[in-house]
Amino acid sequence: MSLLAIIPVWVASLLLYLASPKQYLLSKPLPKWLSYFAALCLYVCVNVLFAQSYPVVSALLASFVVLMMGLVGVTILAGKSKRLFMITSVILLTICSTVGGIIHVA
């Protein structure tokens, strides 16, 4: 279940990055209130997913650490090139959904 929680964290990190006026992926940044609200909702979902595998305090700490990792990863990858960012995102999401889905079913 923990690998499936990486997907909403990555999307939340991407939304927070796209709300910045210094982002490079879009021509205009997304509205801050919308991006922040969606990222907060996704972060709550991540906490719920982690809470199914870990105690509540450990789930909060794990989700916070993964969010920080996602924020750094999105910022570094988006600064390199759009193609590298897209390839890395697709690979990350494919691996997490495939392996996480297999582990969840098994």
Side-chain angles (χ1 to χ4, degrees):
M1 190 59 71
S2 297
L3 282 174
L4 293 177
I6 293 175
I7 296 170
V9 166
W10 188 259
V11 174
S13 300
L14 181 61
L15 285 171
L16 292 173
Y17 177 77
L18 292 176
S20 170
K22 297 181 181 182
Q23 54 91 14
Y24 295 113
L25 296 177
L26 300 176
S27 59
K28 294 172 64 177
L30 296 177
K32 279 192 178 186
W33 67 271
L34 181 63
S35 297
Y36 286 10
F37 181 72
L40 181 65
C41 292
L42 287 170
Y43 186 66
V44 169
C45 292
V46 168
N47 285 324
V48 169
L49 287 172
F50 274 123
Q52 292 179 358
S53 301
Y54 305 113
V56 175
V57 175
S58 298
L60 291 172
L61 180 63
S63 65
F64 185 70
V65 168
V66 173
L67 179 66
M68 292 297 111
M69 183 184 64
L71 289 171
V72 170
V74 165
T75 304
I76 290 173
L77 283 172
K80 299 290 183 186
S81 71
K82 288 183 184 181
R83 185 173 183 201
L84 177 65
F85 178 77
M86 293 303 293
I87 290 171
T88 306
S89 294
V90 167
I91 290 172
L92 176 76
L93 298 178
T94 302
I95 289 173
C96 288
S97 60
T98 303
V99 175
I102 292 171
I103 290 173
H104 182 66
V105 171

